[in-house]
Amino acid sequence: QKLLKLESNLRDLVGLIREGESFLDVGCGTGGFRHLIPSVRYSGIDIDPATIEIGRSLASETFTCEDLFSMKSVYDFVLCSRVLMHVAPLSDAMQCLLNAARRMLVLFVPIEEHDCCELIENYGQHFYFRRFSEDTLKSFGACSIARHEPYSTVVYAR
């Protein structure tokens, strides 16, 4: 059901991913994208150890409990879906993601006219939810942007 919100974004990926590529899913959760892209060498990272354990129990792919700021490996294709709106500092996170992407970095992020950030409470926990302007996203390098609601697809080709 969560993937339904990303239907337009997933259509944007068609044709971008090459068979046999190394593919990193940043913020992979239990690895919901792995079934949609079976022809790649899938790896997923997430900071939640519980979801990583579930991912490991469901599939043979590589799931690692890791923070995007500590990534050391390089992958042909990096996908970061619905993560950056909760991460700070943005410039450091983007540099880590760009460094990890040999050929392409794809983001699924919310876009607004101007950058904004709000503090949200959910089940007693507080977290930040950031929306990005196109100018901010373009400040990290040449990219193409496909506007969708609730998340847009941003592609940085290397």
Side-chain angles (χ1 to χ4, degrees):
Q1 185 169 352
K2 288 182 180 181
L3 293 180
L4 288 177
K5 287 184 179 179
L6 300 172
E7 193 173 329
S8 296
N9 305 95
L10 297 173
R11 280 196 302 270
D12 292 339
L13 290 182
V14 174
L16 296 179
I17 303 168
R18 297 177 185 159
E19 187 172 334
E21 282 191 307
S22 57
F23 182 100
L24 178 64
D25 185 358
V26 177
C28 66
T30 60
F33 289 130
R34 76 183 181 289
H35 299 297
L36 304 171
I37 45 171
S39 64
V40 299
R41 292 177 285 130
Y42 180 95
S43 296
I45 65 168
D46 201 292
I47 61 170
D48 182 1
T51 60
I52 289 296
E53 285 306 314
I54 293 169
R56 287 178 181 157
S57 72
L58 296 173
S60 61
E61 290 87 359
T62 303
F63 290 90
T64 307
C65 189
E66 186 176 6
D67 168 307
L68 74 86
F69 294 105
S70 63
M71 294 186 302
K72 302 278 188 270
S73 298
V74 177
Y75 300 82
D76 297 316
F77 194 103
V78 175
L79 172 65
C80 185
S81 172
R82 302 165 296 156
V83 171
L84 285 181
M85 59 265 226
H86 307 300
V87 177
L90 177 61
S91 59
D92 292 351
M94 280 298 297
Q95 193 57 57
C96 290
L97 290 167
L98 288 165
N99 288 344
R102 179 178 298 116
R103 187 179 70 79
M104 191 168 291
L105 168 63
V106 175
L107 311 174
F108 296 162
V109 295
I111 296 181
E112 294 284 336
E113 187 73 26
H114 302 284
D115 292 330
C116 61
C117 186
E118 60 186 304
L119 184 62
I120 296 176
E121 182 180 347
N122 191 15
Y123 297 106
Q125 293 187 0
H126 293 84
F127 61 95
Y128 288 101
F129 190 89
R130 178 185 295 126
R131 291 170 186 84
F132 306 92
S133 69
E134 287 192 15
D135 289 341
T136 293
L137 294 166
K138 289 177 180 177
S139 74
F140 296 107
C143 62
S144 64
I145 299 174
R147 297 286 295 258
H148 305 293
E149 288 298 329
Y151 303 101
S152 294
T153 304
V154 183
V155 178
Y156 297 87
R158 313 281 291 173

